[in-house]
Amino acid sequence: MPSYSDEKKPKAIDLSHHYADAVKDLKNTFPTNRFMGKPGIVNLDGGVPATAYFPIESVTVEHLKQDAYPLSPTDVVPMNSGLFSWITSIFSGRSASTKSFTIPRYLEDPSATEGAKFELKSALTYSPNTGLSPLEKWVHDWSGHANKPAFADWDTLITTGAMDGWTRVVRAFLNPEEGFLTDDYSYSKIFLAHFLEAFPRLTQCQTSPLLKLEPSPGPYLSPPMLKALNHLQGKQPRTDYIHRFWEHSPRLLYTQGGINNPTGQILTTERKKAIYDIAVRYDIIIVEDDPYRWQEAPTQYLPPSNEKERVKTTEAAKKKTDEEWLDSVTPSFLNFDYQGRVIRIDTFSKTIGPGARLGYYTTSPSLRRILDFLGAASNSPPSGLTQAIVGQLLYTFQRDGFTRWIRGLGAQYELRRNWSFDVLFHNLHIEKSQTSSSFIAYRKGGKDSEKLLSESLFSFVPPAGGMFVWFAIHLQNHPSFPSLSASTSAAAAKTFLAGKLWNNLGEGGVLFRLGELFAVPTPEERAHNGEEVIYLRASYSSSTREELERAFIIFADIVVKFFDD
């Protein structure tokens, strides 16, 4: 369903040569029925229950307004509203923060431009594999407006979320013992662990680091991967490292185009363009899993001492219209995709709720077709009732209202980020790095001029948005690290001390996630490449302000004690 603005764009190229062997000859198992839809025909073919026997007569949903959350990350909004917010609005004279809509059993006028777009007659029966038609249309219109694909014949496909989206991709493109490219610390590692439990035939599937953790000049490739790709074109000799990862040419590159999980950082427009050029050069499909894109923070983090500058930048961010804000968010890989080699995976889990189990692809017609067939052969479409509730909410918001809603969410997560870092600045001595965008943390005390890198505890880059902060613990400064490395190995020493710090934090009352769980290279490879830090990921997404303050006070205290051991 290309839009009018796509008419002059190129069409997607054929990438069917990348299909896995098991799906190359996949055919639709249900042939087209030429009598289906014939006027006046009595359909005795299916086994669909009579809609009159569905016991639910209607569903009424109370929802927050699209502007329920302010655009300023300095404004606190109560976590629990409901009935109390209605009572408060009566006495304060402010309008209530909620509205409601009803999904009826039958639509009185399906062609009406306002009101209900969904009916329980359709929502409670078997949905088409592509999703309920009104939701499919809304998603297609939104993706075209927000992602602006650079090729003409792009399309969308409803899924049951990111895990479903990634699982279909792996089944579609990877043969046993083949691998894919990804970031050196990547959520794909978590995805893959779950996937391999269900599909043991791919237990030898490998990942290999394509992207460096820190932004850097050059080709945006890790040096080993650049050598590997050049080898595939016959430019360099084979090495053991290359042999470990690639017996075949890589088909897929998995990355999170928006806010990265676990690092909280973002791929800039410049880097995305360069990565896309690499994908074209080496004929690679980009899988852009992007659940946090709309949580891009309106402003960068500034320390508490810069209160005036905080207010100034916040006020400047608020002056943007919703459409200006949408255009300012870092573009999707689709925006540069003139060949149709991007498979974008979106989800409503971070904008509506993960329990909805609802997402969608945006990709070329041929790639959509194979992903559609794989969905029909496995878990089928999402719950029709979920589609109707989320879909009617989206139609109630309209495109502009949904933009305002996600913009407000970004400001709220920015507020949580600021709370967390303000605690660290209060409890530790933190300085801005002179050579990078990192902040470096030291214990309090002593003269600032005497702070040496050899005394640093950890560093972090304030996240560009999302829900996570990625701490690099400076293990090389731990008093036990040299002796442990000498008696065992650098990799073993890192593993031991990482486990010790993680356990200390847990016993102290705060739970982090070990960065090791996201690492693509092995511990030995990372140590060989000179990595002397360990990483911890902290999520500030759902805790209260009091809980966040307590957690980061504990973190600061335990890290100082850890370096005293």
Side-chain angles (χ1 to χ4, degrees), residues 131-379:
L132 295 176
S133 178
L135 178 61
E136 187 181 15
K137 181 181 184 305
W138 194 97
V139 161
H140 186 274
D141 290 346
W142 168 256
S143 186
H145 181 71
N147 296 318
K148 300 177 176 59
F151 64 103
D153 49 343
W154 58 274
D155 208 348
T156 54
L157 177 66
I158 303 296
T159 69
T160 58
M163 188 61 175
D164 172 38
W166 173 237
T167 299
R168 294 194 211 180
V169 167
V170 173
R171 293 178 64 198
F173 298 103
L174 292 183
N175 292 312
E177 301 186 18
E178 290 183 341
F180 59 93
L181 303 168
T182 190
D183 310 87
D184 54 358
Y185 282 84
S186 172
Y187 195 73
S188 65
K189 184 79 177 292
I190 308 294
F191 264 154
L192 191 62
H194 292 300
F195 184 82
L196 295 182
E197 292 179 4
F199 296 92
R201 75 176 182 87
L202 289 173
T203 52
Q204 299 302 312
C205 180
Q206 300 280 1
T207 56
S208 182
L210 171 72
L211 308 177
K212 296 179 182 179
L213 182 64
E214 292 287 344
S216 60
Y220 306 105
L221 293 174
S222 65
M225 188 43 52
L226 184 59
K227 292 179 181 179
L229 291 174
N230 284 334
H231 160 73
L232 293 173
Q233 291 193 337
K235 295 180 179 179
Q236 291 185 354
R238 191 181 192 86
T239 68
D240 290 340
Y241 184 92
I242 294 170
H243 177 73
R244 175 174 174 248
F245 285 113
W246 302 120
E247 195 63 34
H248 309 280
S249 298
R251 306 174 191 272
L252 299 178
L253 184 166
Y254 172 96
T255 190
Q256 293 183 321
I259 305 299
N260 176 267
N261 179 10
T263 68
Q265 300 310 302
I266 195 166
L267 284 177
T268 64
T269 300
E270 179 190 21
R271 283 173 63 80
K272 284 185 178 181
K273 288 180 178 178
I275 292 165
Y276 183 81
D277 290 343
I278 290 169
V280 171
R281 187 188 318 158
Y282 295 106
D283 190 23
I284 296 169
I285 294 171
I286 296 176
V287 183
E288 182 181 27
D289 176 26
D290 205 1
Y292 304 100
R293 180 184 179 196
W294 306 122
Q295 291 175 4
E296 191 169 321
T299 60
Q300 295 180 338
Y301 175 76
L302 294 171
S305 58
N306 293 16
E307 184 62 33
K308 290 184 178 179
E309 189 65 23
R310 274 188 179 184
V311 174
K312 182 179 178 181
T313 55
T314 296
E315 290 303 313
K318 285 172 62 176
K319 289 179 180 178
K320 288 182 179 179
T321 66
D322 292 336
E323 196 64 24
E324 288 172 339
W325 172 84
L326 188 66
D327 290 339
S328 72
V329 175
T330 305
S332 163
F333 274 104
L334 287 168
N335 195 230
F336 320 119
D337 183 18
Y338 59 89
Q339 291 189 329
R341 63 173 60 251
V342 172
I343 301 173
R344 180 177 171 85
I345 301 175
D346 274 292
T347 174
F348 290 105
S349 64
K350 308 304 185 294
T351 55
I352 303 297
R357 307 308 308 146
L358 193 61
Y360 57 95
Y361 293 113
T362 306
T363 190
S364 70
S366 60
L367 298 183
R368 178 192 183 278
R369 173 184 171 274
I370 203 75
L371 296 169
D372 184 3
F373 282 179
L374 287 171
S378 55
N379 56 316

Side-chain angles (χ1 to χ4, degrees), residues 67 107 118 130 152 192 205 207 219 235 298 322 442 450 525 539 543:
D67 58 355
L107 285 176
F118 297 81
T130 53
L192 191 62
C205 180
T207 56
K235 295 180 179 179
D322 292 336
Y442 306 85
E450 296 176 354
E525 287 166 349
S539 171
S543 301

